[in-house]
Amino acid sequence: MEKYCELQGGSLIVYVPKELDHHVASRLKMETDLMIDAYHVKKLVFDFSRTEFMDSSGIGVIIGRCRNIGYYGGEVVAQNLNDRVKKIFRVSGLHTLIRADATEQNS
């Protein structure tokens, strides 16, 4: 079973899978929420380096995690967005919620 999350320093890195659709969205949501709650994460980094497809359930997972991390006063960053994912960010409005940074270092 693939792990999606990893703690690095004070950050939680979420490695978004190749396809973020309804089949994996609930598992990604559950794993991320458990880590945020257990470790009181202040910085959430979505790494899209492997992602080629994301549907509305995937977008919902990301929006929900932004809301959850906001309860802790945290920050959300997206990194390694390819052109396809950038387009999804623009069309869905995610670009207004999450700072996208292709060169974000995992600190």
Side-chain angles (χ1 to χ4, degrees):
M1 189 180 288
E2 184 178 7
K3 280 189 72 173
Y4 299 115
C5 300
E6 175 181 65
L7 285 171
Q8 289 185 4
S11 300
L12 177 62
I13 312 300
V14 178
Y15 298 100
V16 182
K18 181 177 180 178
E19 294 186 1
L20 180 52
D21 57 16
H22 69 280
H23 295 292
V24 296
S26 61
R27 189 162 158 257
L28 181 70
K29 173 185 168 186
M30 184 175 58
E31 186 176 331
T32 304
D33 286 347
L34 285 172
M35 298 287 282
I36 289 170
D37 291 340
Y39 297 100
H40 304 290
V41 172
K42 295 287 186 185
K43 184 174 183 181
L44 181 60
V45 179
F46 287 101
D47 183 336
F48 288 93
S49 57
R50 300 181 300 188
T51 309
E52 295 177 6
F53 173 80
M54 184 167 49
D55 69 7
S56 60
S57 58
I59 293 167
V61 167
I62 293 170
I63 291 171
R65 293 336 94 218
C66 289
R67 192 174 330 126
N68 288 355
I69 205 79
Y71 295 143
Y72 293 111
E75 168 189 22
V76 181
V77 176
Q79 65 182 20
N80 301 317
L81 281 74
N82 61 35
D83 289 338
R84 181 175 288 173
V85 175
K86 284 179 187 176
K87 184 175 183 178
I88 293 169
F89 262 60
R90 282 191 309 273
V91 170
S92 68
L94 282 174
H95 69 288
T96 63
L97 299 174
I98 302 173
R99 179 172 60 91
D101 188 351
T103 60
E104 177 69 22
Q105 296 298 312
N106 301 330
S107 53

